[in-house]
Every structure is written in structure tokens, then in C-alpha cells.
Amino acid sequence: MFLWEGVSEFVAVAEAESFTAASKQLGISTAQVSRQVSALENRLNTKLFYRTTRKVSLTEEGTIYYQHCRRLMDGLEEAERAISDRRDAPQGSLKLTAPVTYGEQYIMPLVVDFMQLYPEVDVTMNLTNQTVDLVEGGYDLAIRLGKLSSSTMMAKRLASRTQFVCASSSYLEKSGVPHSLSELRHHNCLVGNYDHWRFQEAGKERSVRVDGTLHCASGHALRDAALKGLGLVQLPDYYISDDIEKGDLVTVLDTFREPEEGIWALYPHNRHLSPKVRLLVDFLAESLS
């Protein structure tokens, strides 16, 4: 049994409200459309249309069947479009935004690789730690780190990051190693954009207010200060993973570390996502994973 047989003809008649108009749309004879719809009704053992000399309209059962068939047709068209998009080389402009450090270190090298693969693509990249409005700013894609706020945007997880609290051995020898979150108030904590550090305690999220002698909205500056023994710092792994591996920084409070967070590609909700955006998102996901 061919489940799709007669479905295209049925949907065309339902939308055109005419067998003749449907036949012109499909490029086949009216008689063939009529035969296919009749065969479909016989197979379903259900009358799908009320037919008069002036009008064709859906029965109640026909309306229900049409709603399901329309979704199936949309899905099939989307599948064919996805294949077609991949055949066609992407071209035109892309406007992107990403956080400064992560964008410089990870995203932009991959974007340049993508541009070499597809030389007809032009890119405008805004590296900023501000959360920009994608629709208002005309952005095709944003890279966001950590937890996403409620949004009407579409999101695809590209990779993950982990936040570490760490310090140099010299600082820990001088000030001691903290073993509980309450001990943070006795330490010189190097503070970035936020004066609260996030942890997980007994399976629940916990935010702890911290303070110290340095407040700076630069992860590189905070890393440098920590390496020089100024205090404790909480930073994502991409700032400090090499320092931890070499032993220049030592992690503390590991039992309270939050689970890894997502690194996301965010783009405006669009059912027919353009080929160049789709290809770039897939390229970033594959490369960063």
C-alpha cells in the first residue's frame, strides 16, 4: 500500500477548493486528480469532500485529514529544501556576534576556516560581552555562553564549559586552602563582571557573594592576577585549562563546582533557516565538539 498516493492531489484540491484549479497547479489532468482523490477516499473508507457543480468543500473528516496531511507535506518540503540547500554553495553576508575572549580564541578562527570553504560568504563579526538584540540589530547568529534566558530564539548547543575556582600555589600557601563556601569571605577574591560566584551544594545551585582588592571585567587580567598570587579567581576552563594542567594554578572547592554549562548558537526563529546560517552552525558544532 502506498500511503502517499493521492495525498498531494487531496491537499491541492482542499486548498484550491476546485479539482480543475488543483489539476492546473499540479500539471496533471482533472480526471487524474479526481481518480486519485476517489481512490484515497475508498482506501480510507471516508468521504473527504462535499462536491457540487459550483464548489468543493471539506467534510469534517476531510478537515481533520487535511490538517495532518498539510504538516506531512510541510515536513517533506522542508526535507527536500535541506538537501537542495546543501547542494548550493552559500553566498552573501552573515552578521554575527560573540563574547570577546571566546570569540577571539575559538569562534573567529573557525569562522575564517568557514569563509575559506565558502569564499562567496562575507562576515561582519561584533565581538562584545553585551547581550545584543538579534532581531533589532539584524544579526543572523549569536554565540552565547552558559545558561540561556527565556527567549523566542532558536538555540543549538555547540560545546560546553566548566567554571573553576583556582589560585596560585604561592597564594594558597600564604592564605590557606578553602574547603567550604563560607571560607570565601576570608579570601581575596578577584572579581569580574559579577560579585557573586556560582556553585552547587547538596544538588542545589548556590550563589555566594565575594569581594577582594581587584575588580576587573577582563578574564585575561583576572587570570594574570591569579597567576601572580594576588588571590582566588573563578573563570571558565578556556581561560585557565593550560595553567591548571601545567600546575601554575591549583583548583579549589572542586566538590562545589557547578555542572558544565552549554555554549550555544542562537538565531532568530525561522522555519526556513538560510543555507549559510545552517551550514555555519553545523560547522561550528562539529568543530567545537
Side-chain angles (χ1 to χ4, degrees):
M1 180 182 295
F2 300 99
L3 294 178
W4 279 100
E5 193 168 349
V7 171
S8 297
E9 292 83 356
F10 162 72
V11 170
V13 173
E15 293 178 345
E17 297 183 343
S18 165
F19 280 84
T20 302
S23 69
K24 291 179 180 179
Q25 177 187 328
L26 296 172
I28 58 179
S29 69
T30 304
Q32 185 174 352
V33 172
S34 181
R35 281 197 300 272
Q36 291 284 16
V37 171
S38 295
L40 179 62
E41 288 178 318
N42 289 335
R43 191 173 83 229
L44 297 173
N45 194 28
T46 301
K47 188 176 181 66
L48 299 174
F49 291 109
Y50 295 116
R51 299 167 173 84
T52 68
T53 55
R54 294 183 177 181
K55 188 179 180 182
V56 176
S57 60
L58 288 165
T59 64
E60 182 179 354
E61 291 78 8
T63 299
I64 295 171
Y65 191 64
Y66 167 76
Q67 291 169 348
H68 287 278
C69 288
R70 182 66 267 176
R71 286 196 292 270
L72 291 172
M73 294 288 289
D74 287 342
L76 181 60
E77 290 169 6
E78 187 71 13
E80 292 183 356
R81 188 180 297 107
I83 298 301
S84 175
D85 287 347
R86 289 188 177 275
R87 284 202 311 265
D88 301 329
Q91 54 186 315
S93 61
L94 277 171
K95 188 175 182 182
L96 317 175
T97 181
V100 177
T101 300
Y102 192 80
E104 288 178 338
Q105 192 168 342
Y106 292 100
I107 299 301
M108 275 311 300
L110 294 176
V111 169
V112 172
D113 291 343
F114 182 82
M115 294 175 71
Q116 290 180 315
L117 287 173
Y118 304 105
E120 295 186 28
V121 172
D122 301 321
V123 172
T124 299
M125 170 63 88
N126 178 18
L127 292 175
T128 175
N129 292 328
Q130 301 298 316
T131 301
V132 299
D133 187 306
L134 300 192
V135 175
E136 184 177 326
Y139 288 92
D140 297 294
L141 183 68
I143 304 301
R144 297 276 167 83
L145 310 178
K147 297 178 181 178
L148 295 177
S149 59
S150 178
S151 172
T152 58
M153 300 290 111
M154 300 293 289
K156 180 179 176 68
R157 188 176 180 129
L158 301 176
S160 60
R161 71 171 185 176
T162 303
Q163 299 268 11
F164 289 93
V165 176
C166 56
S168 68
S169 297
S170 62
Y171 174 82
L172 296 175
E173 289 170 4
K174 178 182 66 176
S175 303
V177 177
H179 297 287
S180 66
L181 300 183
S182 62
E183 293 178 59
L184 286 174
R185 66 176 179 268
H186 303 302
H187 282 267
N188 191 39
C189 296
L190 312 177
V191 182
N193 287 320
Y194 307 103
D195 62 356
H196 284 74
W197 288 356
R198 292 185 289 112
F199 299 94
Q200 182 167 283
E201 187 175 27
K204 296 181 180 180
E205 293 183 9
R206 183 172 172 193
S207 178
V208 178
R209 190 179 185 282
V210 294
D211 198 9
T213 59
L214 177 63
H215 293 71
C216 182
S218 166
H220 286 303
L222 296 175
R223 167 185 171 269
D224 180 65
L227 285 168
K228 292 176 179 176
L230 191 61
L232 293 171
V233 69
Q234 185 180 61
L235 285 171
D237 48 12
Y238 51 83
Y239 280 102
I240 53 176
S241 56
D242 289 343
D243 302 317
I244 294 172
E245 187 174 344
K246 290 186 293 185
D248 294 334
L249 290 175
V250 179
T251 63
V252 298
L253 301 173
D254 291 339
T255 56
F256 301 100
R257 188 186 307 147
E258 273 198 314
E260 62 181 25
E261 302 174 316
I263 296 171
W264 308 90
L266 208 66
Y267 44 92
H269 189 286
N270 187 345
R271 189 168 64 88
H272 304 310
L273 191 61
S274 68
K276 57 181 179 285
V277 176
R278 182 187 294 113
L279 278 173
L280 177 57
V281 170
D282 291 345
F283 181 79
L284 291 174
E286 182 177 355
S287 302
L288 291 171
S289 65

